[in-house]
């Protein structure tokens, strides 16, 4: 992110002695990306961060994928997956919806605190559909609320703690690499530019350290296997990993709330890139927020029909009233998949109804991928199989 932050007690010079009040040494850990060639932070631990006393296989949930063949658009009703939310957590309770080699999309509704967890496959961008809670991390605690994107860098040890007695509903975008603001929003030194729809003031990192005590503490680690497959290991640490006395740098978890996104509008319909928030390798994350719509006197405010020549489009409908999908059964928590090779656009009647509209009260998170998506166990379990035929009035 290239936005420097410092929390707690760090020495005036990096890679030098940092001692406790009793004269002992704190243990410096560099957490960095791309082999010392990109963003990093330095963390200072009370205990040796490499020390483990046990390692056992752990099978992460929902790793298998089924090809989308024959090719068709799909509608997934995620709220059908979460009836037992009170007994679920935000890590082991995830249900895989869609995925490919670059990104996996999962959904969870949590009522219990998760185990300590570390994703060593890639960064995570988790959108909070509803509920409140805290993400406890080795960098400190992040309060989370409805509308937050939570960016968790690869290998950040953390856990999710729901609060308030309501389900913490999460849409999880798990990359095989890193997730960052769109490059066209950034200066060559990493500052968000004036034309960006948000700025550094909208990004909220940990404000204070989080310290926990404990011995023989388990941490679930998701990682790659020998053939590139996703697998997992359960480490046991002799002391709790939340033992950091200070850190500084440009790599850390943070939140960004969708309400702080400033929409870019025009006289005629603007293309999806104006709605972009983040990007990863071979995918982008966009959001459609409440906004003034096209104001040319002959404009048609809903999207024109378009073919995804190079990408699959996934829309997660998480608020408001999405005009283009009226009549297709789309509701809160719905996800639509429009694959490359399928021309898609508004449902019948929406094109005409939108003429004269001045404002859309809608909220959706979009992920566009540049490799075909396959369908996970969770996606198959909550699919509305009639959706593919909805543009033809249900006729097959």
């Amino acid at each position: 992110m290239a936005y420097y932050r410092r929390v707690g007690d760090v020495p005036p010079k990096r890679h030098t002695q940092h001692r406790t009040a009793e004269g002992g040494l704190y243990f410096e850990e560099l957490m960095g990306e791309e082999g010392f060639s990109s963003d990093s932070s330095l963390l200072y631990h009370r205990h040796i961060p490499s020390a483990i006393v046990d390692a056992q296989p752990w099978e992460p949930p929902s790793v298998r994928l089924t090809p989308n063949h024959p090719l068709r658009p799909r509608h997934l009703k995620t709220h059908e997956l979460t009836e037992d939310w009170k007994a679920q957590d935000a890590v082991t309770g995830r249900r895989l919806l869609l995925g490919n080699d670059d990104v996996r999309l999962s959904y969870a509704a949590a009522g219990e605190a998760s185990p300590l967890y570390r994703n060593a496959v890639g960064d995570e961008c988790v959108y909070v559909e509803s509920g409140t809670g805290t993400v406890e991390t080795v960098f400190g605690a992040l309060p989370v609320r409805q509308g937050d994107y939570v960016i968790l860098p690869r290998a950040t040890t953390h856990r999710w703690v729901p609060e308030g007695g309501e389900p913490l509903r999460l849409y999880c975008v798990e990359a095989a690499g890193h997730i960052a603001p769109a490059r066209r929003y950034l200066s060559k030194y990493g500052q968000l530019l004036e034309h960006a729809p948000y700025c550094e003031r909208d990004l909220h990192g940990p404000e204070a350290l989080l310290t926990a005590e404990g011995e023989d503490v388990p941490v679930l680690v998701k990682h790659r296997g020998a053939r590139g497959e996703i697998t997992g290991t359960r480490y046991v640490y002799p002391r709790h990993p939340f033992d950091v006395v200070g850190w500084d740098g440009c790599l850390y978890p943070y939140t960004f709330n969708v309400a702080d996104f400033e929409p870019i509008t025009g006289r005629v319909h603007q293309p999806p890139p104006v709605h972009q928030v983040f990007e990863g390798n071979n995918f982008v994350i966009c959001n459609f927020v409440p906004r003034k719509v096209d104001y040319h006197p002959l404009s048609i405010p809903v999207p024109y029909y378009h073919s995804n020549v190079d990408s699959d489009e996934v829309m997660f409908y998480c608020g408001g009233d999405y005009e283009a999908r009226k009549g297709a059964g789309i509701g809160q928590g719905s996800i639509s998949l429009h694959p490359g090779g399928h021309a898609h656009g508004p449902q019948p009647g929406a094109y005409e109804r939108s003429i004269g509209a001045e404002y859309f009260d809608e909220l959706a998170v979009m992920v566009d991928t540049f490799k075909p998506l396959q369908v996970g166990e969770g996606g198959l379990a909550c699919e509305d199989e009639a959706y593919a035929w909805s543009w033809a009035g249900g006729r097959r």
Side-chain angles (χ1 to χ4, degrees):
M1 185 168 59
Y3 179 40
Y4 176 80
R5 195 175 190 88
R6 172 177 171 172
V7 177
D9 182 21
V10 302
K13 188 76 173 176
R14 62 181 179 173
H15 314 324
T16 60
Q17 297 175 30
H18 187 24
R19 293 192 176 273
T20 68
E22 295 76 26
L25 283 170
Y26 292 119
F27 300 95
E28 182 185 57
E29 175 195 6
L30 175 73
M31 183 172 170
E33 298 177 341
E34 299 178 11
F36 302 93
S37 300
S38 189
D39 294 348
S40 66
S41 285
L42 288 166
L43 299 89
Y44 295 87
H45 294 265
R46 292 185 176 88
H47 310 293
I48 296 174
S50 304
I52 56 173
V53 296
D54 194 23
Q56 298 292 332
W58 167 63
E59 187 65 36
S62 304
V63 296
R64 298 185 62 182
L65 290 165
T66 301
N68 183 18
H69 185 76
L71 188 71
R72 58 188 175 89
R74 295 174 183 257
H75 171 206
L76 313 180
K77 298 182 176 182
T78 61
H79 287 192
E80 293 184 358
L81 299 174
T82 60
E83 292 182 356
D84 58 345
W85 64 268
K86 290 183 178 180
Q88 298 297 324
D89 68 75
V91 172
T92 67
R94 293 183 185 182
R95 304 288 294 273
L96 181 61
L97 304 170
L98 302 161
N100 60 25
D101 290 341
D102 301 312
V103 63
R104 291 182 172 235
L105 309 176
S106 301
Y107 189 81
E112 293 188 346
S114 75
L116 288 171
Y117 170 64
R118 179 187 308 146
N119 187 340
V121 176
D123 294 356
E124 294 189 0
C125 173
V126 181
Y127 180 80
V128 180
E129 180 193 354
S130 64
T132 59
T134 300
V135 184
E136 298 177 348
T137 85
V138 69
F139 292 88
L142 286 173
V144 297
R145 59 190 172 95
Q146 183 175 354
D148 275 346
Y149 290 97
V150 185
I151 304 295
L152 293 157
R154 174 189 277 173
T156 299
T157 302
H158 67 280
R159 72 172 189 148
W160 290 81
V161 182
E163 298 167 356
E166 296 296 325
L168 185 60
R169 295 186 175 274
L170 306 173
Y171 180 49
C172 310
V173 181
E174 302 179 26
H178 301 300
I179 298 173
R183 279 168 287 185
R184 69 178 181 280
Y185 297 159
L186 301 172
S187 75
K188 62 182 178 180
Y189 300 112
Q191 182 180 6
L192 285 160
L193 296 168
E194 281 295 298
H195 68 273
Y198 57 93
C199 74
E200 285 84 358
R201 296 180 189 179
D202 302 318
L203 310 179
H204 305 285
E207 298 287 347
L209 298 168
L210 178 65
T211 302
E213 301 293 336
E215 298 182 354
D216 295 337
V217 179
V219 176
L220 303 180
V221 181
K222 182 186 287 186
H223 58 90
R224 293 286 186 183
R227 293 177 294 278
E229 75 280 7
I230 293 177
T231 186
T233 295
R234 181 182 180 272
Y235 280 155
V236 176
Y237 286 81
R239 307 294 291 269
H240 201 291
F242 291 170
D243 67 343
V244 172
V245 299
W247 63 267
D248 74 336
C250 296
L251 182 68
Y252 50 85
Y254 64 92
T255 63
F256 167 68
N257 195 275
V258 71
D260 290 323
F261 185 88
E262 302 302 331
I264 299 169
T265 60
R267 292 184 73 220
V268 296
H269 195 80
Q270 299 298 293
V274 304
H275 305 286
Q276 188 175 352
V277 193
F278 303 110
E279 66 183 16
N281 182 47
N282 286 328
F283 71 93
V284 298
I285 302 173
C286 307
N287 49 216
F288 296 83
V289 301
R291 65 196 183 279
K292 180 179 177 63
V293 292
D294 322 336
Y295 44 90
H296 186 284
L298 297 179
S299 68
I300 301 176
V302 296
Y304 36 77
Y305 293 87
H306 52 286
S307 296
N308 288 350
V309 177
D310 295 314
S311 61
D312 283 11
E313 177 197 276
V314 182
M315 295 284 285
F316 175 54
Y317 304 91
C318 45
D321 187 8
Y322 199 76
E323 292 291 334
R325 290 286 166 264
K326 282 185 176 179
I330 297 292
Q332 180 74 24
S334 286
I335 286 178
S336 64
L337 166 63
H338 297 141
H342 173 258
H344 70 275
Q347 292 293 322
Y351 207 60
E352 298 83 358
R353 286 194 306 269
S354 73
I355 294 174
E358 297 182 355
Y359 186 83
F360 281 175
D361 182 18
E362 63 188 22
L363 188 60
V365 174
M366 183 177 80
V367 177
D368 269 11
T369 70
F370 297 103
K371 292 180 183 176
L373 287 163
Q374 300 185 69
V375 187
E377 165 273 330
L380 294 172
C382 67
E383 183 176 9
D384 169 15
E385 296 187 356
Y387 179 71
W389 331 116
S390 57
W391 287 271
R395 180 185 172 199
R396 298 190 55 175

